[in-house]
Amino acid sequence: VQLQASGGGLVQAGGSLRLSCAASGRTVSSYVMAWFRQAPGKEREFVAAISWSGGRKRYADSVKGRFTISGDNAKSTIYLQMNSLKPEDTAVYYCAAALGSSFMNEYNYWGQGTQVTVSS
């Protein structure tokens, strides 16, 4: 599966952005899809994930209540709506896919990153 992320940008603290990740190739329903992020000098961290089958979702504690992950099966696209953004949300955001239905499976497929910068 190939992943194409878009939607990053520069926003002031308290603002919103929506990221998109379009998947192509093998049937996306065979995968769980997720967003990760990596800030300068830090390790990559999990942000949110969604299962196409059953619509299960999972969030990192740091983004619960502010970020929402969703999916459009017809478009094979997932979204990350980010509200109430904070400077500490600044990072390169990556979408990823793992074969199967478990969020714990290894994410073997990655899109290119999209930069999100939140100014204070």
Side-chain angles (χ1 to χ4, degrees):
V1 63
Q2 293 79 45
L3 305 174
Q4 180 72 37
S6 61
L10 173 64
V11 64
Q12 289 188 332
S16 298
L17 281 174
R18 189 177 81 155
L19 306 183
S20 301
C21 177
S24 60
R26 190 170 174 175
T27 305
V28 295
S29 60
S30 302
Y31 296 84
V32 294
M33 295 183 68
W35 290 98
F36 290 77
R37 67 186 181 185
Q38 187 167 21
K42 295 187 177 181
E43 293 187 354
R44 184 174 59 200
E45 65 174 356
F46 169 81
V47 176
I50 186 168
S51 169
W52 290 109
S53 58
R56 292 176 296 118
K57 302 177 182 180
R58 180 171 292 179
Y59 296 94
D61 288 343
S62 59
V63 306
K64 280 181 181 177
R66 300 188 299 122
F67 290 11
T68 301
I69 190 170
S70 62
D72 185 331
N73 207 335
K75 296 182 179 180
S76 298
T77 299
I78 64 167
Y79 305 96
L80 186 68
Q81 178 66 43
M82 305 185 293
N83 298 328
S84 303
L85 282 162
K86 305 175 181 180
E88 50 264 43
D89 294 317
T90 295
V92 178
Y93 284 70
Y94 298 90
C95 62
L99 186 61
S101 59
S102 171
F103 293 141
M104 302 304 296
N105 288 350
E106 184 174 1
Y107 289 89
N108 289 316
Y109 304 93
W110 294 85
Q112 90 290 1
T114 184
Q115 176 71 47
V116 171
T117 303
V118 184
S119 63
S120 58

